[in-house]
Amino acid sequence: AVLHQATRSGISNPSLMHSPPLSPQLLNSLAPEENTQCQHGLYFQDGERRVDYILTYHIKKPSSSRSNRQSSRFTDNPRVVPEVASQDHSMDYHEDDKRYRREEFEGNLRDMGLELEKDEDTKTPGVGFVKIHAPWHVLCREAEFMKLKMPTKKVYEVKQCSGVGAKINTLVNKATEPLHPNVEENRAQNVKHLSYAFSREKQHFLLGSGVYTAAYPLHDVSTHCNQHLLYEEWASYSVFYKYQPIGLVRKYFGEKIGLYFAWLGLYTQMLIPASLVGVIVFLYGCATVDNNIPSMEICHPRNNITMCPLCDRACNYWKLKEACGTARASHLFDNPATVFFSIFMALWAAMFMEHWKRRQMRLNYEWDLTGFEEEEVSDHPRAEYELCVMQKSLKKEHKTQKVLIAYSWVFTTEKEKLTCRDRLPAYMTNIVMMLLMIGVTFAIVFGVILYRISITAALHMSNNPTTRSNVRLMVKTTAAIINLVVILILDEVYGAVARWLTVLEVPKTDKSFEERLIFKTFILKFVNAFTPIIYIAFFRGRLVGRPGSYLYVFESYRMEECAHGGCLMELCIQLSITMLGKQLIQNNLFEIGIPKLKKLIRYIKSKRRTFQEEEREKKLQRYETDHFLEPFAGLTPEYMEMIIQFGFVTLFVASFPLAPLFALLNNIIEIRLDAKKFVAELRRPVAARAKDIGIWYNLLRGVAKVAVIINAFVISFTSDFIPRLVYQYMYSPDGSMHGFVNHTMSYFNVSDFQDGKEPMDPHHLGYQVEMCRYKDYREPPWSNTPYVVSKEFWAVLAARLAFVIVFQNVVMLMSDIVDWLIPDIPKDISLQIHKEKILMVELFMKEEQGKMQFIDSMTPCDGKERNNHAPVARSRSIPHTYSHTHANNF
């Protein structure tokens, strides 16, 4: 509701409370150019009252050329006059209705104590502006409504750490001093004002939509304003190495946006150790690749193992040593260090969660949010919900043809029954649509599988030897790019579908609407991003069959196999292309290009080119400039891209140890990119209070828990880590890895090929092929049970399952231990909160004693009269005196 936003804008925006309007004396003391810049659209015409909020609406201005054309048409064809007149009358009635509703609404604002000033004579054609100023008494009243904690005159010393910890902390602060931005908030404070919360109930109002086209507070672009500091110390790429001025961000944008950037900064900071360890793991793979016995056996020049064809008819037999490059590359990501890295990342995720809870609690203390409950300001119903209930009530009344005697009774009593009953079809629609969208994702993945199968067969038929030798690399790369393009397109589609489904549910509160929208969007985008990766990790190469009895799709396409080094290399390619593509294209390019494109479109639609000459002479007002900025659409897109990135960093980190490094490099740019977007590309959002990041924390914890399970299965089933351990300790004659490659391959008699499935050329390198090899644990053709899975297969499967169970439980136990060892509230913050409570009690006890002494001094000295009348005077005087004394303490 616009009224709710308008009344909240002046008091929920912390900048209004922390930086009151400049006085005329201060404005006069500024330089002439600074005075002009400060007042250019930021103040009322009197130059004293600051513009706190802007409402815009559409203006229909008559055009002389249009009027002339209409008059000529009326003269030439009089029969057209009634139709045109009727159309114009309808449009005028619609405009009059909007104007009446605006006047009624603006009257309500004035009744609330707000001051308004209209400006329709602007250089933005077709747009009128309503400037709103919240006087100081309105700010004080609304602060009391919202129970804002305000600093009192009482100050106390913040207890500092002592001992070895204090010395280490001092050294760290001195070492990191160049990394802090040059703003007042980052200077150490030894004292803190005692804060106290107001406690009156908040009133809410309702207004229909369609009267105003936009509502937003203004950016402050004066020389000494917060935006100027934010641009220099936060939104500039030249300060990428510095910490963020979170306190300044909170003052300018509010706690909700401040918490997002604090979380993003901590997440980026925590990626530094993860990136270092990931790089070390990757370098370990590079350093040991020449000593890896399985890859040495595959690449040995005397290796004369003939492998079975990779496709029917078109593919020929091939030598195992041709997979040398793939085997060596797979070792970079499939080595014993990746197991350690998976355990490390699981503990890293747990430490990140705990660190954020502590950081969040510290911010709550610093921002005076320790006693704030979001339900106090977010439980009021949404305007759409109230409108839906009203419509359904009226519809029911119309059907029963009964007179509505007590509308309030129907409104409160029938509300829940109507909405619960009528929203049931919406819930069913949501479930069906969600399943349909997930089915679309599966269908597209299946289509990419068919593409890979068909292109592989086609390229093997090529006459170019270079093409035939690079079939796998070409197919992997192109398929990964196709998956990326599809993911980017479906992300936009799924975002719109999730919003449409949430609107159908008609949630009661804004918080409920936001949480449901986030959950739906997350499920759809998570499935969209990770379904291709999950297929490669856990299904590709396992639904193939064996030579002579392959599994076919549509009886024509043979299911694809993994390379001899396993599917881990292909998984790494898919992960890297998807992750880097989403970060570079979706997260960075779209965030820069789309707002600028939309801004250009708004300029064109407003026909700004028709008054370019005039604009050279006179600059646009600040509220006109902000009108052309992109409206703030919420923090959901910002959080969503980071949560998906968190999934890439944690879910399949066993196959891609460089993921934290790429995420770190992206986030260093992302922080400054988002900062510049909020400061210069978006309209200033209405500040909102929040004490945590809400449902996003639960999603993070869920992803971290799922990551442990997925990494356990990746190590166990996708990599060759378990087969190598089983061979080394159960089947190796000397306890080494020599002979491991031969142990993992089975024999196939080429005479057992199905008719029409054998290679067109039965020879390879001039020799007649009688036996070929394939990677699997099966009995040889000369055994009593040919091609049946061998006992080695069951031994490896049992070891894999045992590893999943042990890994999952051990890592989750270690994560729980980390969670238990690290307290959610820092010890110093807990002590300070306890100290504040004690000081608050002492403060009010002193006030009560002072009031009692004042009352005693005002009563007559006669003992009898004092005994009879003092209690009465005291009972009547305390509330009044208390209020004045209480107000004077702020």
Side-chain angles (χ1 to χ4, degrees), residues 528-657:
N528 181 41
F530 290 101
T531 298
I533 299 172
I534 291 174
Y535 163 74
I536 295 176
F538 303 126
F539 296 99
R540 184 176 178 182
R542 289 169 178 81
L543 303 175
V544 177
R546 60 170 180 82
S549 181
Y550 283 114
L551 180 64
Y552 291 88
V553 180
F554 303 136
E555 299 181 357
S556 301
Y557 299 99
R558 195 176 101 186
M559 290 298 292
E560 52 188 347
E561 303 179 48
C562 294
H564 187 78
C567 285
L568 204 64
M569 189 61 193
E570 299 179 26
L571 178 60
C572 179
I573 293 175
Q574 180 69 55
L575 269 170
S576 58
I577 292 179
T578 303
M579 182 179 180
L580 295 178
K582 280 180 66 67
Q583 291 183 165
L584 294 177
I585 298 175
Q586 188 178 48
N587 298 356
N588 294 332
L589 185 60
F590 284 5
E591 287 190 8
I592 297 175
I594 289 182
K596 292 186 179 295
L597 180 62
K598 289 183 177 180
K599 183 178 179 180
L600 177 62
I601 293 175
R602 281 193 297 273
Y603 271 99
I604 296 174
K605 285 184 177 181
S606 65
K607 300 179 182 179
R608 190 184 177 206
R609 291 178 294 179
T610 60
F611 53 93
Q612 284 180 349
E613 296 297 330
E614 180 186 354
E615 192 166 295
R616 292 193 184 100
E617 300 175 1
K618 185 179 179 182
K619 191 177 180 181
L620 285 174
Q621 297 289 336
R622 182 69 238 176
Y623 47 84
E624 295 181 84
T625 305
D626 285 4
H627 177 71
F628 291 105
L629 297 178
E630 177 73 8
F632 175 64
L635 290 171
T636 298
E638 315 298 335
Y639 273 115
M640 189 63 66
E641 64 185 62
M642 290 295 105
I643 297 295
I644 298 296
Q645 183 200 86
F646 183 77
F648 282 112
V649 169
T650 56
L651 289 177
F652 294 92
V653 73
S655 59
F656 191 38

Side-chain angles (χ1 to χ4, degrees), residues 665-679:
L665 297 177
N666 172 81
N667 288 4
I668 291 175
I669 301 174
E670 179 76 19
I671 291 177
R672 307 304 164 180
L673 182 63
D674 283 350
K676 188 173 183 181
K677 182 174 66 174
F678 272 82
V679 172

